[in-house]
Amino acid sequence: MSKKIFFCIALITVFSCNLYSQKNKIAKADKNYENYAYIDAIKTYEKVANKGYKSADMFEKLANAYYFNSKFDEAAKWYGELFTIDTVQVKTENYYRYAQSLRSINNNDKANEVMIEFNKLNHNDRRGKYFLNNEKYISKIQARKGRYEVQNATNLNSQYSDYGTRFFLDKIVYTTARDTGGLQQRKHSWTDQYFTNLYQANVDDSLTTANPTKFDATVRSRFHESTPTFTKDGKTMYFTRNNYLNGKKGKNENNTTLLKIYKATYEKGKWSNITALNIDSDLYNLAHPILSPDEKTLYFVSDMPGTLGQSDIFKSSINPDGTLSTPINLGDSINTSGKETFPFLTDGELYFSSDGYPGLGGLDIFESKINKDGSFGPVENIGSDINSSKDDFAFIINKKLKKGFFSSNKDGGMGSDDIYQFKDNFKKCKQSLAGTITDLKTKELIANCKLTLYDNEFKNIGTTYADEKGRYAFEIECGKTYRVRAEKEEYITEEKKIDVEEITGTTLLDFDLDKEICKVAIGDDLGKCFGIKMIYFEFDKSNIQHEAAIDLEKILDVLNQIPTMKLDIRSHTDSRGSSSYNEKLSDRRAKSTINWLLERGINTNRIIGNGYGENQLINKCSDGVECSEEEHQLNRRSEFIITAL
């Protein structure tokens, strides 16, 4: 045998052995991954990856392992590797995780690109809809800066994870993964930190903390304890613990020990009578309980059947005998397809953390006003004083003192999660919306013009009239989006949208009204006469919305003025999404537009229409061509072609 042949055989043998060895290592790492031992899985995956081995499955698991441990910079790196070698088989959820990871390292432009792809792949996911409907959300979050004074609660924190502060009489109780010196204290393979226990610290009348010490040892187990909530008299506690009671560990069908909420009572100087709640189960998680201010309802987080996303916020009424009623999901006014967690309630607000609403990255803290009927108002990001590109969560506040605590793994902390103190310096923002109405051509002031104010959902808020100098004004709320409609006889009605900043002052919105009705001929687009580029529909739907109805009223008015006019209504989409889907959706939208006019008395022989999907693009933006959002917008259009006069 020649030396050359021998060398080749030897090389093949070495390569085969190395490949076999790598596959063995990956199989071991996969087992760790499946058992939530992410730290061990990461170590093996990275060793194999650094030797040049590439696998979509391995990159996905490596990225997810970092993501689940809130190591978003590393997660972004490995999701990037995954998307480099395979975009066809990538799960849609990984698009969202990749976008969140990119946002956490302030790569917002790339994150926006990934979110657009996520939305194309999953039209029904509300997280994509929130993103598309809130293009300027980062500037709105930044505009809230300055409300909160924030500082690290250094005397509470350690080099380990410290989080989840709760009020308890003249103390606070919080969760810690620090080394408490116990002989049986163990580390958790998910995070490579010790299993968490409860600590307590004294607080004075100004919420200054002192003397952190271990909480009652009778509550402590071999597993995680966290996030308690207490009745005002300090005699009843609900808290989170792994499924472990009286020395027995419960498991689900995958042999995994999940989380439950336990109840304990304070008797003879210690916590006792630890029992699981009647709504607990071995098959799903319950965690992070919080009592409502009247102590009649327990709010908590779960992934039980009926959950809309990865975890939702639920509530249960507390019965006279101490049992809890059947859990009720707070619904899609609060919960998303993502993760909602760590609820906290005051008399008028619900605070919670989520990665499903537009934020700065990771978990952000949000608030929703609680209406008198118990329903929830719009969800608002509380701003960049507290929220960061990392995980921000477990917000609590004493409304009387305007002070509180939250937790975060933001940069500059002492450990993986730290507790932060804050002071709310909120001063009620006052805004007015004002402007002047003039004639577009003569620039003369228009008196007695009717102005109607709408909110962003087109609810009529109020009406006023311009004075003799053409001036008008509305009192409005800060940080909201409004629409104003200006109407005057002999003038074309005009509507404008305005975003109001989160600062005290006056927002100006002027109108220049055009008296001349534009001249049209057969073949012209009547929509261009009124500046109608597209008829807006709810995302992925074909039912007429308020904004669309306002524009269609202009078309209706012309059809009533010119009874001989006939129209061909055409609906178009951009090229994103499949051609067949776009054609069907645009056709439904064209039919909805026609039906809206027919229902208002227009004869059927005056209107025809069809949807053309992406078949009549007006620029280069066909499938596979990279285009900006503005370029795609040009193709999403509605046309009202005049066929007879």
Side-chain angles (χ1 to χ4, degrees), residues 21-53:
S21 175
Q22 303 298 355
K23 289 184 176 179
N24 276 345
K25 291 177 181 178
I26 292 171
K28 182 179 179 181
D30 287 345
K31 187 173 182 180
N32 285 329
Y33 181 89
E34 292 165 3
N35 291 327
Y36 307 103
Y38 294 128
I39 299 300
D40 292 335
I42 286 171
K43 292 176 182 176
T44 303
Y45 286 141
E46 285 197 327
K47 286 180 182 178
V48 174
N50 290 335
K51 290 182 179 180
Y53 183 83

PDB file of all heavy atoms in Angstrom, residues 21-53:
ATOM      1  N   SER A  21     -17.379  11.336  17.698  1.00  0.00           N
ATOM      2  CA  SER A  21     -17.185  11.926  19.020  1.00  0.00           C
ATOM      3  C   SER A  21     -18.061  13.160  19.198  1.00  0.00           C
ATOM      4  O   SER A  21     -18.676  13.350  20.249  1.00  0.00           O
ATOM      5  CB  SER A  21     -15.710  12.290  19.212  1.00  0.00           C
ATOM      6  OG  SER A  21     -15.509  12.965  20.434  1.00  0.00           O
ATOM      7  N   GLN A  22     -18.118  14.033  18.155  1.00  0.00           N
ATOM      8  CA  GLN A  22     -18.929  15.244  18.249  1.00  0.00           C
ATOM      9  C   GLN A  22     -20.404  14.897  18.421  1.00  0.00           C
ATOM     10  O   GLN A  22     -21.116  15.518  19.208  1.00  0.00           O
ATOM     11  CB  GLN A  22     -18.750  16.097  16.979  1.00  0.00           C
ATOM     12  CG  GLN A  22     -17.327  16.503  16.652  1.00  0.00           C
ATOM     13  CD  GLN A  22     -16.678  17.372  17.721  1.00  0.00           C
ATOM     14  OE1 GLN A  22     -17.320  17.755  18.692  1.00  0.00           O
ATOM     15  NE2 GLN A  22     -15.404  17.654  17.553  1.00  0.00           N
ATOM     16  N   LYS A  23     -20.865  13.881  17.677  1.00  0.00           N
ATOM     17  CA  LYS A  23     -22.277  13.488  17.774  1.00  0.00           C
ATOM     18  C   LYS A  23     -22.594  12.945  19.157  1.00  0.00           C
ATOM     19  O   LYS A  23     -23.680  13.169  19.688  1.00  0.00           O
ATOM     20  CB  LYS A  23     -22.610  12.459  16.695  1.00  0.00           C
ATOM     21  CG  LYS A  23     -22.646  13.054  15.289  1.00  0.00           C
ATOM     22  CD  LYS A  23     -23.080  12.034  14.251  1.00  0.00           C
ATOM     23  CE  LYS A  23     -23.206  12.674  12.885  1.00  0.00           C
ATOM     24  NZ  LYS A  23     -23.617  11.693  11.850  1.00  0.00           N
ATOM     25  N   ASN A  24     -21.662  12.231  19.753  1.00  0.00           N
ATOM     26  CA  ASN A  24     -21.862  11.743  21.125  1.00  0.00           C
ATOM     27  C   ASN A  24     -21.987  12.904  22.101  1.00  0.00           C
ATOM     28  O   ASN A  24     -22.820  12.896  23.010  1.00  0.00           O
ATOM     29  CB  ASN A  24     -20.700  10.829  21.544  1.00  0.00           C
ATOM     30  CG  ASN A  24     -20.906   9.399  21.070  1.00  0.00           C
ATOM     31  OD1 ASN A  24     -22.008   9.018  20.684  1.00  0.00           O
ATOM     32  ND2 ASN A  24     -19.852   8.609  21.092  1.00  0.00           N
ATOM     33  N   LYS A  25     -21.113  13.892  21.930  1.00  0.00           N
ATOM     34  CA  LYS A  25     -21.163  15.066  22.811  1.00  0.00           C
ATOM     35  C   LYS A  25     -22.481  15.813  22.648  1.00  0.00           C
ATOM     36  O   LYS A  25     -23.083  16.260  23.621  1.00  0.00           O
ATOM     37  CB  LYS A  25     -19.985  15.992  22.514  1.00  0.00           C
ATOM     38  CG  LYS A  25     -18.630  15.432  22.917  1.00  0.00           C
ATOM     39  CD  LYS A  25     -17.511  16.386  22.523  1.00  0.00           C
ATOM     40  CE  LYS A  25     -16.147  15.812  22.910  1.00  0.00           C
ATOM     41  NZ  LYS A  25     -15.043  16.706  22.481  1.00  0.00           N
ATOM     42  N   ILE A  26     -22.923  15.957  21.394  1.00  0.00           N
ATOM     43  CA  ILE A  26     -24.176  16.663  21.136  1.00  0.00           C
ATOM     44  C   ILE A  26     -25.353  15.908  21.735  1.00  0.00           C
ATOM     45  O   ILE A  26     -26.277  16.507  22.304  1.00  0.00           O
ATOM     46  CB  ILE A  26     -24.366  16.871  19.619  1.00  0.00           C
ATOM     47  CG1 ILE A  26     -23.318  17.861  19.105  1.00  0.00           C
ATOM     48  CG2 ILE A  26     -25.769  17.374  19.308  1.00  0.00           C
ATOM     49  CD1 ILE A  26     -23.271  17.975  17.606  1.00  0.00           C
ATOM     50  N   ALA A  27     -25.338  14.584  21.621  1.00  0.00           N
ATOM     51  CA  ALA A  27     -26.417  13.774  22.199  1.00  0.00           C
ATOM     52  C   ALA A  27     -26.494  13.987  23.710  1.00  0.00           C
ATOM     53  O   ALA A  27     -27.590  14.095  24.283  1.00  0.00           O
ATOM     54  CB  ALA A  27     -26.195  12.300  21.879  1.00  0.00           C
ATOM     55  N   LYS A  28     -25.333  14.070  24.354  1.00  0.00           N
ATOM     56  CA  LYS A  28     -25.303  14.327  25.803  1.00  0.00           C
ATOM     57  C   LYS A  28     -25.825  15.723  26.107  1.00  0.00           C
ATOM     58  O   LYS A  28     -26.596  15.924  27.063  1.00  0.00           O
ATOM     59  CB  LYS A  28     -23.875  14.165  26.322  1.00  0.00           C
ATOM     60  CG  LYS A  28     -23.749  14.366  27.824  1.00  0.00           C
ATOM     61  CD  LYS A  28     -22.306  14.171  28.284  1.00  0.00           C
ATOM     62  CE  LYS A  28     -22.197  14.412  29.800  1.00  0.00           C
ATOM     63  NZ  LYS A  28     -20.794  14.244  30.258  1.00  0.00           N
ATOM     64  N   ALA A  29     -25.419  16.706  25.304  1.00  0.00           N
ATOM     65  CA  ALA A  29     -25.886  18.078  25.500  1.00  0.00           C
ATOM     66  C   ALA A  29     -27.394  18.175  25.273  1.00  0.00           C
ATOM     67  O   ALA A  29     -28.098  18.892  25.993  1.00  0.00           O
ATOM     68  CB  ALA A  29     -25.146  19.025  24.570  1.00  0.00           C
ATOM     69  N   ASP A  30     -27.899  17.442  24.270  1.00  0.00           N
ATOM     70  CA  ASP A  30     -29.340  17.442  24.004  1.00  0.00           C
ATOM     71  C   ASP A  30     -30.122  16.926  25.215  1.00  0.00           C
ATOM     72  O   ASP A  30     -31.190  17.452  25.550  1.00  0.00           O
ATOM     73  CB  ASP A  30     -29.661  16.580  22.782  1.00  0.00           C
ATOM     74  CG  ASP A  30     -29.245  17.238  21.481  1.00  0.00           C
ATOM     75  OD1 ASP A  30     -28.980  18.455  21.492  1.00  0.00           O
ATOM     76  OD2 ASP A  30     -29.188  16.525  20.453  1.00  0.00           O
ATOM     77  N   LYS A  31     -29.573  15.912  25.856  1.00  0.00           N
ATOM     78  CA  LYS A  31     -30.238  15.363  27.042  1.00  0.00           C
ATOM     79  C   LYS A  31     -30.260  16.400  28.157  1.00  0.00           C
ATOM     80  O   LYS A  31     -31.274  16.563  28.846  1.00  0.00           O
ATOM     81  CB  LYS A  31     -29.525  14.093  27.502  1.00  0.00           C
ATOM     82  CG  LYS A  31     -30.255  13.362  28.631  1.00  0.00           C
ATOM     83  CD  LYS A  31     -29.587  12.020  28.939  1.00  0.00           C
ATOM     84  CE  LYS A  31     -30.365  11.291  30.033  1.00  0.00           C
ATOM     85  NZ  LYS A  31     -29.737   9.977  30.355  1.00  0.00           N
ATOM     86  N   ASN A  32     -29.147  17.116  28.342  1.00  0.00           N
ATOM     87  CA  ASN A  32     -29.116  18.184  29.340  1.00  0.00           C
ATOM     88  C   ASN A  32     -30.133  19.267  28.998  1.00  0.00           C
ATOM     89  O   ASN A  32     -30.841  19.781  29.874  1.00  0.00           O
ATOM     90  CB  ASN A  32     -27.711  18.803  29.416  1.00  0.00           C
ATOM     91  CG  ASN A  32     -26.725  17.905  30.130  1.00  0.00           C
ATOM     92  OD1 ASN A  32     -27.088  17.148  31.023  1.00  0.00           O
ATOM     93  ND2 ASN A  32     -25.458  17.981  29.737  1.00  0.00           N
ATOM     94  N   TYR A  33     -30.205  19.615  27.720  1.00  0.00           N
ATOM     95  CA  TYR A  33     -31.141  20.646  27.262  1.00  0.00           C
ATOM     96  C   TYR A  33     -32.587  20.238  27.567  1.00  0.00           C
ATOM     97  O   TYR A  33     -33.376  21.034  28.084  1.00  0.00           O
ATOM     98  CB  TYR A  33     -30.950  20.880  25.774  1.00  0.00           C
ATOM     99  CG  TYR A  33     -31.842  21.938  25.171  1.00  0.00           C
ATOM    100  CD1 TYR A  33     -31.448  23.263  25.132  1.00  0.00           C
ATOM    101  CD2 TYR A  33     -33.078  21.597  24.626  1.00  0.00           C
ATOM    102  CE1 TYR A  33     -32.264  24.240  24.567  1.00  0.00           C
ATOM    103  CE2 TYR A  33     -33.901  22.559  24.065  1.00  0.00           C
ATOM    104  CZ  TYR A  33     -33.487  23.882  24.033  1.00  0.00           C
ATOM    105  OH  TYR A  33     -34.311  24.842  23.476  1.00  0.00           O
ATOM    106  N   GLU A  34     -32.910  18.983  27.255  1.00  0.00           N
ATOM    107  CA  GLU A  34     -34.270  18.494  27.492  1.00  0.00           C
ATOM    108  C   GLU A  34     -34.617  18.448  28.975  1.00  0.00           C
ATOM    109  O   GLU A  34     -35.788  18.556  29.356  1.00  0.00           O
ATOM    110  CB  GLU A  34     -34.433  17.105  26.871  1.00  0.00           C
ATOM    111  CG  GLU A  34     -34.396  17.129  25.342  1.00  0.00           C
ATOM    112  CD  GLU A  34     -34.202  15.749  24.748  1.00  0.00           C
ATOM    113  OE1 GLU A  34     -34.153  14.769  25.539  1.00  0.00           O
ATOM    114  OE2 GLU A  34     -34.074  15.642  23.512  1.00  0.00           O
ATOM    115  N   ASN A  35     -33.590  18.310  29.816  1.00  0.00           N
ATOM    116  CA  ASN A  35     -33.802  18.292  31.273  1.00  0.00           C
ATOM    117  C   ASN A  35     -33.617  19.672  31.893  1.00  0.00           C
ATOM    118  O   ASN A  35     -33.469  19.794  33.114  1.00  0.00           O
ATOM    119  CB  ASN A  35     -32.834  17.296  31.935  1.00  0.00           C
ATOM    120  CG  ASN A  35     -33.156  15.858  31.586  1.00  0.00           C
ATOM    121  OD1 ASN A  35     -34.319  15.502  31.401  1.00  0.00           O
ATOM    122  ND2 ASN A  35     -32.131  15.027  31.479  1.00  0.00           N
ATOM    123  N   TYR A  36     -33.608  20.713  31.055  1.00  0.00           N
ATOM    124  CA  TYR A  36     -33.476  22.106  31.499  1.00  0.00           C
ATOM    125  C   TYR A  36     -32.128  22.389  32.164  1.00  0.00           C
ATOM    126  O   TYR A  36     -31.988  23.393  32.870  1.00  0.00           O
ATOM    127  CB  TYR A  36     -34.609  22.504  32.454  1.00  0.00           C
ATOM    128  CG  TYR A  36     -35.982  22.234  31.890  1.00  0.00           C
ATOM    129  CD1 TYR A  36     -36.733  21.136  32.305  1.00  0.00           C
ATOM    130  CD2 TYR A  36     -36.528  23.063  30.920  1.00  0.00           C
ATOM    131  CE1 TYR A  36     -37.988  20.869  31.780  1.00  0.00           C
ATOM    132  CE2 TYR A  36     -37.780  22.813  30.377  1.00  0.00           C
ATOM    133  CZ  TYR A  36     -38.498  21.717  30.816  1.00  0.00           C
ATOM    134  OH  TYR A  36     -39.736  21.462  30.286  1.00  0.00           O
ATOM    135  N   ALA A  37     -31.128  21.536  31.949  1.00  0.00           N
ATOM    136  CA  ALA A  37     -29.771  21.784  32.468  1.00  0.00           C
ATOM    137  C   ALA A  37     -29.039  22.630  31.434  1.00  0.00           C
ATOM    138  O   ALA A  37     -28.090  22.184  30.772  1.00  0.00           O
ATOM    139  CB  ALA A  37     -29.057  20.469  32.730  1.00  0.00           C
ATOM    140  N   TYR A  38     -29.489  23.882  31.293  1.00  0.00           N
ATOM    141  CA  TYR A  38     -29.013  24.718  30.194  1.00  0.00           C
ATOM    142  C   TYR A  38     -27.537  25.079  30.316  1.00  0.00           C
ATOM    143  O   TYR A  38     -26.843  25.200  29.305  1.00  0.00           O
ATOM    144  CB  TYR A  38     -29.857  25.994  30.114  1.00  0.00           C
ATOM    145  CG  TYR A  38     -31.291  25.728  29.734  1.00  0.00           C
ATOM    146  CD1 TYR A  38     -32.345  26.226  30.491  1.00  0.00           C
ATOM    147  CD2 TYR A  38     -31.602  24.975  28.602  1.00  0.00           C
ATOM    148  CE1 TYR A  38     -33.656  25.988  30.144  1.00  0.00           C
ATOM    149  CE2 TYR A  38     -32.915  24.728  28.244  1.00  0.00           C
ATOM    150  CZ  TYR A  38     -33.941  25.237  29.020  1.00  0.00           C
ATOM    151  OH  TYR A  38     -35.238  24.992  28.671  1.00  0.00           O
ATOM    152  N   ILE A  39     -27.056  25.285  31.526  1.00  0.00           N
ATOM    153  CA  ILE A  39     -25.654  25.653  31.695  1.00  0.00           C
ATOM    154  C   ILE A  39     -24.744  24.543  31.182  1.00  0.00           C
ATOM    155  O   ILE A  39     -23.783  24.793  30.444  1.00  0.00           O
ATOM    156  CB  ILE A  39     -25.347  25.979  33.163  1.00  0.00           C
ATOM    157  CG1 ILE A  39     -26.212  27.164  33.633  1.00  0.00           C
ATOM    158  CG2 ILE A  39     -23.871  26.294  33.344  1.00  0.00           C
ATOM    159  CD1 ILE A  39     -26.002  28.430  32.854  1.00  0.00           C
ATOM    160  N   ASP A  40     -25.033  23.306  31.561  1.00  0.00           N
ATOM    161  CA  ASP A  40     -24.227  22.176  31.089  1.00  0.00           C
ATOM    162  C   ASP A  40     -24.367  22.009  29.577  1.00  0.00           C
ATOM    163  O   ASP A  40     -23.385  21.697  28.887  1.00  0.00           O
ATOM    164  CB  ASP A  40     -24.651  20.890  31.798  1.00  0.00           C
ATOM    165  CG  ASP A  40     -24.289  20.903  33.278  1.00  0.00           C
ATOM    166  OD1 ASP A  40     -23.346  21.620  33.643  1.00  0.00           O
ATOM    167  OD2 ASP A  40     -24.965  20.208  34.062  1.00  0.00           O
ATOM    168  N   ALA A  41     -25.578  22.199  29.061  1.00  0.00           N
ATOM    169  CA  ALA A  41     -25.796  22.073  27.613  1.00  0.00           C
ATOM    170  C   ALA A  41     -24.992  23.125  26.855  1.00  0.00           C
ATOM    171  O   ALA A  41     -24.375  22.831  25.827  1.00  0.00           O
ATOM    172  CB  ALA A  41     -27.282  22.206  27.299  1.00  0.00           C
ATOM    173  N   ILE A  42     -24.995  24.360  27.366  1.00  0.00           N
ATOM    174  CA  ILE A  42     -24.259  25.448  26.712  1.00  0.00           C
ATOM    175  C   ILE A  42     -22.778  25.115  26.608  1.00  0.00           C
ATOM    176  O   ILE A  42     -22.148  25.300  25.556  1.00  0.00           O
ATOM    177  CB  ILE A  42     -24.467  26.770  27.483  1.00  0.00           C
ATOM    178  CG1 ILE A  42     -25.879  27.319  27.222  1.00  0.00           C
ATOM    179  CG2 ILE A  42     -23.417  27.804  27.087  1.00  0.00           C
ATOM    180  CD1 ILE A  42     -26.262  28.485  28.103  1.00  0.00           C
ATOM    181  N   LYS A  43     -22.193  24.613  27.686  1.00  0.00           N
ATOM    182  CA  LYS A  43     -20.759  24.313  27.700  1.00  0.00           C
ATOM    183  C   LYS A  43     -20.387  23.327  26.591  1.00  0.00           C
ATOM    184  O   LYS A  43     -19.405  23.512  25.872  1.00  0.00           O
ATOM    185  CB  LYS A  43     -20.357  23.746  29.063  1.00  0.00           C
ATOM    186  CG  LYS A  43     -20.437  24.751  30.208  1.00  0.00           C
ATOM    187  CD  LYS A  43     -20.116  24.089  31.540  1.00  0.00           C
ATOM    188  CE  LYS A  43     -20.238  25.079  32.692  1.00  0.00           C
ATOM    189  NZ  LYS A  43     -20.011  24.425  34.012  1.00  0.00           N
ATOM    190  N   THR A  44     -21.210  22.294  26.450  1.00  0.00           N
ATOM    191  CA  THR A  44     -20.905  21.281  25.434  1.00  0.00           C
ATOM    192  C   THR A  44     -21.164  21.802  24.031  1.00  0.00           C
ATOM    193  O   THR A  44     -20.334  21.632  23.124  1.00  0.00           O
ATOM    194  CB  THR A  44     -21.741  20.013  25.685  1.00  0.00           C
ATOM    195  OG1 THR A  44     -21.490  19.537  27.009  1.00  0.00           O
ATOM    196  CG2 THR A  44     -21.392  18.929  24.684  1.00  0.00           C
ATOM    197  N   TYR A  45     -22.319  22.437  23.824  1.00  0.00           N
ATOM    198  CA  TYR A  45     -22.636  22.956  22.497  1.00  0.00           C
ATOM    199  C   TYR A  45     -21.550  23.919  22.006  1.00  0.00           C
ATOM    200  O   TYR A  45     -21.136  23.880  20.846  1.00  0.00           O
ATOM    201  CB  TYR A  45     -23.974  23.696  22.521  1.00  0.00           C
ATOM    202  CG  TYR A  45     -25.199  22.808  22.604  1.00  0.00           C
ATOM    203  CD1 TYR A  45     -26.298  23.182  23.385  1.00  0.00           C
ATOM    204  CD2 TYR A  45     -25.289  21.619  21.882  1.00  0.00           C
ATOM    205  CE1 TYR A  45     -27.432  22.402  23.453  1.00  0.00           C
ATOM    206  CE2 TYR A  45     -26.424  20.823  21.946  1.00  0.00           C
ATOM    207  CZ  TYR A  45     -27.491  21.216  22.742  1.00  0.00           C
ATOM    208  OH  TYR A  45     -28.620  20.439  22.810  1.00  0.00           O
ATOM    209  N   GLU A  46     -21.085  24.796  22.882  1.00  0.00           N
ATOM    210  CA  GLU A  46     -20.101  25.792  22.460  1.00  0.00           C
ATOM    211  C   GLU A  46     -18.758  25.142  22.119  1.00  0.00           C
ATOM    212  O   GLU A  46     -18.085  25.561  21.175  1.00  0.00           O
ATOM    213  CB  GLU A  46     -19.928  26.862  23.537  1.00  0.00           C
ATOM    214  CG  GLU A  46     -21.087  27.841  23.590  1.00  0.00           C
ATOM    215  CD  GLU A  46     -20.752  29.110  24.331  1.00  0.00           C
ATOM    216  OE1 GLU A  46     -19.965  29.046  25.290  1.00  0.00           O
ATOM    217  OE2 GLU A  46     -21.288  30.165  23.953  1.00  0.00           O
ATOM    218  N   LYS A  47     -18.369  24.130  22.889  1.00  0.00           N
ATOM    219  CA  LYS A  47     -17.116  23.424  22.572  1.00  0.00           C
ATOM    220  C   LYS A  47     -17.190  22.811  21.177  1.00  0.00           C
ATOM    221  O   LYS A  47     -16.253  22.910  20.384  1.00  0.00           O
ATOM    222  CB  LYS A  47     -16.846  22.341  23.614  1.00  0.00           C
ATOM    223  CG  LYS A  47     -16.370  22.865  24.961  1.00  0.00           C
ATOM    224  CD  LYS A  47     -16.118  21.716  25.931  1.00  0.00           C
ATOM    225  CE  LYS A  47     -15.681  22.241  27.293  1.00  0.00           C
ATOM    226  NZ  LYS A  47     -15.482  21.138  28.270  1.00  0.00           N
ATOM    227  N   VAL A  48     -18.309  22.180  20.885  1.00  0.00           N
ATOM    228  CA  VAL A  48     -18.482  21.542  19.575  1.00  0.00           C
ATOM    229  C   VAL A  48     -18.547  22.593  18.469  1.00  0.00           C
ATOM    230  O   VAL A  48     -17.925  22.448  17.411  1.00  0.00           O
ATOM    231  CB  VAL A  48     -19.753  20.668  19.577  1.00  0.00           C
ATOM    232  CG1 VAL A  48     -20.020  20.111  18.182  1.00  0.00           C
ATOM    233  CG2 VAL A  48     -19.622  19.524  20.581  1.00  0.00           C
ATOM    234  N   ALA A  49     -19.295  23.681  18.718  1.00  0.00           N
ATOM    235  CA  ALA A  49     -19.434  24.736  17.708  1.00  0.00           C
ATOM    236  C   ALA A  49     -18.107  25.409  17.422  1.00  0.00           C
ATOM    237  O   ALA A  49     -17.793  25.731  16.264  1.00  0.00           O
ATOM    238  CB  ALA A  49     -20.458  25.768  18.176  1.00  0.00           C
ATOM    239  N   ASN A  50     -17.311  25.614  18.454  1.00  0.00           N
ATOM    240  CA  ASN A  50     -16.014  26.277  18.279  1.00  0.00           C
ATOM    241  C   ASN A  50     -15.013  25.415  17.506  1.00  0.00           C
ATOM    242  O   ASN A  50     -13.981  25.915  17.042  1.00  0.00           O
ATOM    243  CB  ASN A  50     -15.439  26.670  19.635  1.00  0.00           C
ATOM    244  CG  ASN A  50     -16.216  27.803  20.278  1.00  0.00           C
ATOM    245  OD1 ASN A  50     -16.852  28.597  19.587  1.00  0.00           O
ATOM    246  ND2 ASN A  50     -16.183  27.881  21.594  1.00  0.00           N
ATOM    247  N   LYS A  51     -15.312  24.126  17.393  1.00  0.00           N
ATOM    248  CA  LYS A  51     -14.462  23.240  16.590  1.00  0.00           C
ATOM    249  C   LYS A  51     -14.930  23.174  15.134  1.00  0.00           C
ATOM    250  O   LYS A  51     -14.428  22.375  14.350  1.00  0.00           O
ATOM    251  CB  LYS A  51     -14.447  21.839  17.203  1.00  0.00           C
ATOM    252  CG  LYS A  51     -13.681  21.775  18.528  1.00  0.00           C
ATOM    253  CD  LYS A  51     -13.645  20.356  19.073  1.00  0.00           C
ATOM    254  CE  LYS A  51     -12.850  20.286  20.375  1.00  0.00           C
ATOM    255  NZ  LYS A  51     -12.793  18.908  20.932  1.00  0.00           N
ATOM    256  N   GLY A  52     -15.934  24.004  14.795  1.00  0.00           N
ATOM    257  CA  GLY A  52     -16.363  24.106  13.407  1.00  0.00           C
ATOM    258  C   GLY A  52     -17.603  23.312  13.049  1.00  0.00           C
ATOM    259  O   GLY A  52     -18.052  23.360  11.905  1.00  0.00           O
ATOM    260  N   TYR A  53     -18.163  22.567  14.013  1.00  0.00           N
ATOM    261  CA  TYR A  53     -19.361  21.776  13.708  1.00  0.00           C
ATOM    262  C   TYR A  53     -20.561  22.713  13.603  1.00  0.00           C
ATOM    263  O   TYR A  53     -20.775  23.579  14.455  1.00  0.00           O
ATOM    264  CB  TYR A  53     -19.588  20.737  14.800  1.00  0.00           C
ATOM    265  CG  TYR A  53     -20.773  19.828  14.541  1.00  0.00           C
ATOM    266  CD1 TYR A  53     -20.650  18.712  13.724  1.00  0.00           C
ATOM    267  CD2 TYR A  53     -22.006  20.102  15.112  1.00  0.00           C
ATOM    268  CE1 TYR A  53     -21.733  17.883  13.480  1.00  0.00           C
ATOM    269  CE2 TYR A  53     -23.097  19.285  14.878  1.00  0.00           C
ATOM    270  CZ  TYR A  53     -22.957  18.171  14.055  1.00  0.00           C
ATOM    271  OH  TYR A  53     -24.024  17.355  13.819  1.00  0.00           O
TER     272      TYR A  53
END
